[in-house]
Amino acid sequence: MNRLKEIENEISRHKKFLIASHRSPEADAIGSQLGLGRALRLRGKQTILYNRDGVPKNLSFLKGSDSVLNYDELPREVTDVELGIVLDCSNLERLGDKGKRLFGGLPTINIDHHKDNTNFGYINYVKPVAATTQIIADLIDYMGLEPDEPIATALYAGIIADTSSFQNENVSANLMAKAADLLESGANARSVIVNLYEREPFSKLKLLGEVLSTAKFEDGIVWAEITPEKIRRAGATQEDTEGVVGKLRTTEGAEVACLFKKLPEDTIKVSLRSKDGVDVCNVARNFGGGGHKVAAGCMVDGRMEEVEEKLLKEIKKEMDKLPGSANQG
Ligand SMILES: [Mn+2]
């Protein structure tokens, strides 16, 4: 039986759903959750939407975003939920500890586009397309529902975010057709762009200045550091550190961009981006992280200099695997 059919059957057979997406959510996670949640409610189902961290400020424009609850806000009746649906999440750990426990006891449908997904559900629909919202758009079509404006805008936001506004190599004709359908259904494209890209606090601009001024560029790798001192000098917040690695990646001749962010207790958060075919997910996996071929990340314990050295070494190894690289002979 086809997977969408299987999922549709399970949805028809049940009444109350707990729908979650990964901690530190972005537009693809929240968009999938809001889009599918609303579609199910339009079908007469009951839904509870869970995210460990709630909805980030820049996504609060999405209708229904206030219905996404964190663990403490969950109602007691969460016990009578029949089915879990986990979205945009490569493993259950990404729900946070309490979320993991919550879903551990529930039959769960796993819908995702991360290639390192662990297939933790009793039904797994894992497809390496650009965005989970693209899969949800397919599912909603399959169920014969016409997305209304809030659904269309939520799904469109996820597609925009996970393709960097149609700039990434994961853009396909199918995806464009899906995006066009969502616009047809009333997706508010302009408000998505304004909220995702044109609401940056000034402190973020200042932080970018601090970080980029000490960036380094060698052998096709561009990298930079974020430290608590830089954040303080810029008057910035943790949220302001989003997007810095994407800026590094725009450098001509950079095949890999790497951002090292110092967290408390000597842990470094490493964000990796690539172009021209380098698989940075392989690099991240060596350090217990994961992600996509062109965008991945990991947490590494150690001092900044040590972590940088280790990472740069692994990145070079990965670059050497590519045909045509200097070390291929
Ligand atoms: Mn995603």
Side-chain angles (χ1 to χ4, degrees):
M1 196 185 342
N2 114 27
R3 252 338 116 71
L4 289 175
K5 179 80 200 144
E6 249 180 278
I7 295 174
E8 192 199 22
N9 283 349
E10 288 306 285
I11 288 173
S12 323
R13 295 202 306 121
H14 295 93
K15 186 140 181 63
K16 191 162 183 180
F17 301 82
L18 180 62
I19 305 178
S21 66
H22 61 79
R23 62 193 178 201
S24 310
E26 2 68 351
D28 193 37
I30 296 296
S32 300
Q33 236 178 324
L34 292 178
L36 181 61
R38 188 173 168 93
L40 294 193
R41 288 194 301 282
L42 292 177
R43 262 206 153 182
K45 307 293 179 182
Q46 287 171 269
T47 63
I48 298 174
L49 307 184
Y50 169 75
N51 191 289
R52 190 194 74 168
D53 301 320
V55 175
K57 226 173 31 209
N58 71 327
L59 298 177
S60 60
F61 77 101
L62 293 173
K63 294 198 181 90
S65 59
D66 50 357
S67 67
V68 178
L69 308 175
N70 66 32
Y71 192 83
D72 295 328
E73 294 163 338
L74 286 175
R76 300 181 63 85
E77 310 84 74
V78 76
T79 44
D80 65 8
V81 163
E82 298 160 66
L83 206 62
I85 304 179
V86 173
L87 303 170
D88 199 37
C89 215
S90 49
N91 56 60
L92 279 182
E93 277 69 38
R94 298 207 68 213
L95 295 177
D97 289 343
K98 288 172 174 169
K100 189 183 166 187
R101 275 203 296 281
L102 204 57
F103 280 86
L106 266 183
T108 292
I109 300 177
N110 164 21
I111 302 177
D112 186 30
H113 69 130
H114 294 91
K115 68 172 184 178
D116 58 346
N117 190 289
T118 57
N119 292 316
F120 54 82
Y122 80 100
I123 297 177
N124 299 288
Y125 190 53
V126 180
K127 218 177 150 192
V129 292
T132 299
T133 39
Q134 186 182 348
I135 303 176
I136 299 302
D138 283 340
L139 176 61
I140 289 174
D141 277 354
Y142 190 85
M143 296 193 303
L145 288 166
E146 169 70 21
D148 61 1
E149 181 278 316
I151 293 176
T153 301
L155 299 181
Y156 188 82
I159 289 174
I160 288 293
D162 270 23
T163 62
S164 307
S165 314
F166 306 115
Q167 294 181 72
N168 295 351
E169 69 175 4
N170 56 20
V171 170
S172 64
N174 247 331
L175 173 98
M176 289 304 233
K178 195 55 61 181
D181 287 347
L182 294 172
L183 292 177
E184 200 77 62
S185 302
N188 192 338
R190 182 63 194 149
S191 86
V192 168
I193 296 297
V194 169
N195 283 283
L196 258 48
Y197 301 110
E198 299 175 4
R199 284 183 63 186
E200 308 283 26
F202 187 62
S203 54
K204 185 165 177 173
L205 200 70
K206 301 293 282 180
L207 178 66
L208 203 56
E210 289 281 347
V211 176
L212 298 186
S213 66
T214 55
K216 298 190 183 80
F217 182 32
E218 264 173 46
D219 302 329
I221 308 172
V222 60
W223 74 97
E225 298 167 358
I226 295 183
T227 59
E229 297 73 46
K230 286 178 182 173
I231 293 177
R232 209 166 25 243
R233 272 202 299 275
T237 63
Q238 286 298 327
E239 269 184 37
D240 293 335
T241 63
E242 285 301 315
V244 178
V245 68
K247 196 72 201 164
L248 295 173
R249 187 181 173 277
T250 61
T251 309
E252 183 178 20
E255 291 172 57
V256 175
C258 189
L259 183 68
F260 299 93
K261 181 160 109 181
K262 191 178 175 337
L263 301 178
E265 290 166 26
D266 266 348
T267 299
I268 310 288
K269 182 180 178 197
V270 183
S271 305
L272 297 156
R273 299 289 182 275
S274 76
K275 23 180 205 198
D276 308 324
V278 183
D279 189 339
V280 288
C281 187
N282 278 339
V283 176
R285 262 202 232 120
N286 283 323
F287 299 94
H292 301 282
K293 185 179 174 191
V294 295
C298 52
M299 300 281 198
V300 187
D301 288 337
R303 286 183 305 111
M304 186 66 97
E305 310 82 75
E306 292 166 10
V307 172
E308 282 186 16
E309 206 182 298
K310 280 190 219 166
L311 259 291
L312 293 174
K313 208 169 124 196
E314 286 303 318
I315 293 169
K316 280 178 191 152
K317 268 196 223 162
E318 194 59 39
M319 288 167 73
D320 288 344
K321 285 187 196 166
L322 285 189
S325 91
N327 296 333
Q328 285 272 315

